[in-house]
Every structure is written in structure tokens, then in C-alpha cells.
């Protein structure tokens, strides 16, 4: 394989590879901001990043990378430090891990009664009582249905539930932040960093936490968690649940929020370069059934350039 770094600034090229490694792990917010600043320093920095991506892709396609793919995913450290071209090329770090050439096939393995989706995947479930549930990207639920109870435990991600009016008992959804109950309703429940976000499309849902109780009706949403329960607010519930229909709907939302939402469906990080672009507000309807086109469409609507790497999407 030719040395595509020859006759170029080796320091910038080494930095580009190091950044790819760091962003391929679980970077903190400060690291993401530092990376965005690094990308915006000059066109040479962005070109170096593109060359680093090509190099990692070439190495990742070798037979050795394929043979060791599963082992790498289990044993590779979350972050690589002091990474340079020489270490990468002589095998100091596995390029298969950095290039994202494979994921150990255990993401959808579930315990009995548990259902999961991988990143970018959505799934419909027919529940034992005739209710319907849809799992959004990177979500996990556990089911507990007997003659005496109808319970669903949201362990991660987001679920949409259309509860069948099956009489008693009440339909319950358990979450770390509290418990929902309803006789018959249609709603979404999403886990967030500070608790849960409930959006009700129709019917009535009761929310209980150790400190408070609230009732939410159609086209209302609230958040609940350790800090309590917020007052229900009017919301476009159809837009909030558009992912069930394979759509993402944004209505004058800033790009930094849109990037956070895209990250839920794409592998790796989404970085918006520049304060102006991060604050830019967009409206649009985007297809979830074509995730490869999602960042291209958003970038085009924002009038920005797009750089896509195996575990990183840069819009700037």
C-alpha cells in the first residue's frame, strides 16, 4: 500500500490519526469541542483527517483485520493515547477497531422476555395482551405479562406504546425515574440523562415518582426524574413520535440539537464545526430508512460541507 502521507506535514497527519482514535471511543464533551476546533484550524487539518480515514479504511479491509475483528471489539481500550503513523502501521494499534470494520455480534442478544435494538434499528413488537410497542434506536425493554399484571420495563432508549384496552390490570411501564400506568393510551417514553421524557398522543397516563404524581393527556409532554415532575406542556406529539413512521421531524431546531438527535441513529460522533452553524435553526422531515443519506441531507439544508469517517461525521 502506498504511503499516502509522504510529502505532507507528518505532525498534522499524526494528529489526525490520534483524533480518529480518540473520537472512536467515548469522548467527553470537552474532547469533542477540542476536536471541532482542531478541524477548523485550516484546510490542511481537514485534508489530513480525510487522508487518515483512507489509510484506516485500507488497513481495515485486510484479511488480518477481518480475522481479529471480534477479538478487537472485546479487548481494545476505549481510548488510544500517543498514537502515531508508525505505531499504527506496524501493528501497535488495531486499525480494524479504529476504522469500525466490525461489531461483535452480541448487540441484540437478550435475556428471556427482553427485546433490544441496535444503533439505527427500529422494531415493532406485538405484546401478549394485544398492545403494540415500537423500540427506537439503541433501546431495550423487558416484558412481564401474566394474568395479574401487564408490565414493561424500559431499560434503555425509547419506546412507543399503543395500549390495548384490555380491562384490568392497568398497563404499567417501569423506568428508573418512575412508573407510568394507563388503562388505554398511546404514548412515547424516552430515557434521557436527567430522567425520562413522556409524550402522550391520546388517552391519559399517570406518572408516579417517589415524590409526586401527575396525569398527562393527549398532545402533552412532561419530564420526570430525581428532580421531580415538570408541569405538562403542549407538544406536537405526532412530530415527537414520527420515528415510528421512519421520519425525523425538526421544527426550527438548532443544529447542535439536530446533531445530538442524529447521533442516536448513526455510528460514532456527529460534530458541528463553528458557533454560527451550531446555532443555525433548521426545519425539515428526514428519512430514517436511509441513514446514509441523513447527514448529507442535513448538511445540504444547512449549506455546509460534510466529512464522513467510519466513526465520525463532521458538518462544517
Amino acid at each position: 500500500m502506498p504511503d499516502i502521507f509522504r510529502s505532507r506535514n507528518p505532525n498534522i497527519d499524526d494528529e489526525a490519526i490520534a483524533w480518529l482514535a480518540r473520537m472512536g471511543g467515548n469522548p467527553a464533551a470537552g474532547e469533542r469541542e477540542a476536536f471541532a476546533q482542531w478541524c477548523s484550524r485550516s484546510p490542511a487539518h481537514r485534508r489530513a483527517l480525510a487522508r487518515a480515514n483512507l489509510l484506516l479504511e485500507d488497513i481495515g479491509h485486510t484479511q488480518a483485520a477481518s480475522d481479529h475483528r471480534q477479538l478487537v471489539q472485546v479487548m481494545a481500550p476505549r481510548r488510544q493515547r500517543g498514537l502515531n503513523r508508525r505505531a499504527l502501521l506496524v501493528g501497535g494499534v488495531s486499525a480494524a477497531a479504529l476504522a469500525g470494520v466490525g461489531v461483535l455480534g452480541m448487540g441484540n442478544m437478550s435475556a428471556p422476555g427482553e427485546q433490544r435494538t441496535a444503533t439505527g434499528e427500529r422494531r415493532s413488537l406485538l405484546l401478549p395482551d394485544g398492545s403494540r410497542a415500537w423500540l427506537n434506536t439503541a433501546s431495550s425493554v423487558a416484558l412481564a405479562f401474566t394474568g395479574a399484571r401487564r408490565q414493561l420495563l424500559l431499560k434503555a432508549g425509547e419506546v412507543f406504546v399503543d395500549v390495548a384496552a384490555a380491562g384490568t390490570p392497568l398497563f404499567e411501564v417501569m423506568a428508573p425515574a418512575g412508573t407510568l400506568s394507563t388503562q388505554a393510551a398511546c404514548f412515547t417514553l424516552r430515557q434521557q440523562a436527567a430522567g425520562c421524557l413522556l409524550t402522550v398522543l391520546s388517552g391519559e397516563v399517570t406518572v408516579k415518582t417517589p415524590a409526586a404524581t401527575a396525569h398527562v393527556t393527549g398532545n402533552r409532554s412532561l419530564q420526570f426524574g430525581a428532580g421531580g415532575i415538570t408541569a405538562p406542556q403542549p407538544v406536537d406529539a405526532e412530530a415527537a413520535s414520527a420515528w415510528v413512521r421512519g421520519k425525523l421531524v425538526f421544527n426550527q431546531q438548532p443544529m447542535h440539537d439536530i446533531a445530538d438527535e442524529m447521533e442516536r441513529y448513526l455510528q460514532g460522533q456527529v460534530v458541528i464545526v463553528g458557533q454560527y452553524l451550531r446555532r443555525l435553526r433548521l426545519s425539515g422531515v428526514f428519512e430514517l430508512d436511509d441513514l446514509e443519506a441523513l447527514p448529507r441531507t442535513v448538511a445540504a439544508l444547512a449549506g455546509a460541507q460534510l466529512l464522513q469517517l467510519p466513526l465520525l461525521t463532521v458538518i462544517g
Side-chain angles (χ1 to χ4, degrees), residues 241-262:
S241 61
W243 60 267
V244 179
R245 305 186 302 275
K247 311 288 184 183
L248 279 182
V249 178
F250 300 121
N251 184 13
Q252 286 298 297
Q253 289 181 253
M255 278 288 286
H256 63 80
D257 287 346
I258 294 175
D260 289 343
E261 190 67 13
M262 287 197 298

Side-chain angles (χ1 to χ4, degrees), residues 135 137-141 153-159 191:
L135 298 185
T137 175
S139 300
S140 174
V141 298
L153 170 62
L154 178 61
K155 304 177 72 175
E158 183 175 17
V159 63
Q191 283 203 28

Side-chain angles (χ1 to χ4, degrees), residues 17-18 21-22 31 77-84 87 92-93 98:
I17 295 175
R22 292 169 65 184
E31 285 185 308
R78 295 295 292 174
R79 298 179 185 175
Q80 305 290 348
R81 300 187 183 276
L83 183 66
N84 56 42
V93 178
L98 301 178

Side-chain angles (χ1 to χ4, degrees), residues 1-291:
M1 181 179 61
D3 184 0
I4 63 174
F5 289 93
R6 187 169 297 161
S7 301
R8 296 184 172 95
N9 188 325
N11 293 328
I12 296 180
D13 289 326
D14 287 347
E15 290 174 7
I17 295 175
W19 273 116
L20 282 184
R22 292 169 65 184
M23 300 306 292
N26 187 22
E31 285 185 308
R32 295 175 59 187
E33 179 65 24
F35 174 70
Q37 293 176 1
W38 187 90
C39 291
S40 62
R41 286 175 61 182
S42 73
H45 286 74
R46 291 188 288 273
R47 288 194 296 268
L49 197 63
R51 292 194 297 271
N53 173 55
L54 291 175
L55 178 65
L56 296 181
E57 284 185 332
D58 286 342
I59 296 176
H61 292 158
T62 64
Q63 184 61 45
S66 177
D67 292 343
H68 293 86
R69 190 172 302 157
Q70 292 188 343
L71 181 62
V72 164
Q73 294 298 325
V74 174
M75 303 191 66
R78 295 295 292 174
R79 298 179 185 175
Q80 305 290 348
R81 300 187 183 276
L83 183 66
N84 56 42
R85 287 179 294 142
R86 181 172 178 79
L88 176 68
L89 293 174
V90 300
V93 178
S94 171
L98 301 178
V101 298
V103 178
L104 186 62
M106 298 180 65
N108 290 324
M109 292 184 65
S110 305
E114 184 177 350
Q115 298 288 334
R116 294 182 180 180
T117 54
T119 299
E121 180 187 8
R122 291 168 286 119
R123 183 180 302 173
S124 173
L125 305 174
L126 177 62
L127 304 183
D129 68 334
S131 300
R132 284 274 183 182
W134 287 259
L135 298 185
N136 203 356
T137 175
S139 300
S140 174
V141 298
L143 308 178
F145 282 75
T146 66
R149 63 180 179 178
R150 298 189 291 164
Q151 289 184 342
L152 182 151
L153 170 62
L154 178 61
K155 304 177 72 175
E158 183 175 17
V159 63
F160 178 103
V161 185
D162 187 359
V163 178
T168 57
L170 293 176
F171 190 102
E172 295 181 307
V173 180
M174 323 294 288
T179 302
L180 313 181
S181 62
T182 183
Q183 185 66 55
C186 190
F187 60 91
T188 67
L189 181 64
R190 173 176 170 178
Q191 283 203 28
Q192 298 178 314
C196 287
L197 173 65
L198 168 68
T199 301
V200 179
L201 282 76
S202 62
E204 181 176 325
V205 178
T206 299
V207 183
K208 292 184 179 180
T209 69
T213 299
H215 304 281
V216 191
T217 55
N219 290 306
R220 298 287 191 277
S221 71
L222 59 71
Q223 298 185 32
F224 61 96
I229 303 177
T230 66
Q233 299 293 326
V235 68
D236 185 349
E238 290 292 336
S241 61
W243 60 267
V244 179
R245 305 186 302 275
K247 311 288 184 183
L248 279 182
V249 178
F250 300 121
N251 184 13
Q252 286 298 297
Q253 289 181 253
M255 278 288 286
H256 63 80
D257 287 346
I258 294 175
D260 289 343
E261 190 67 13
M262 287 197 298
E263 274 191 357
R264 300 177 63 209
Y265 298 90
L266 303 176
Q267 297 287 348
Q269 309 294 320
V270 178
V271 176
I272 307 299
V273 179
Q275 289 293 332
Y276 168 78
L277 197 57
R278 281 194 287 272
R279 294 171 181 168
L280 179 67
R281 293 180 178 270
L282 296 181
S283 297
V285 179
F286 304 91
E287 297 288 340
L288 285 175
D289 292 329
D290 188 1
L291 290 175

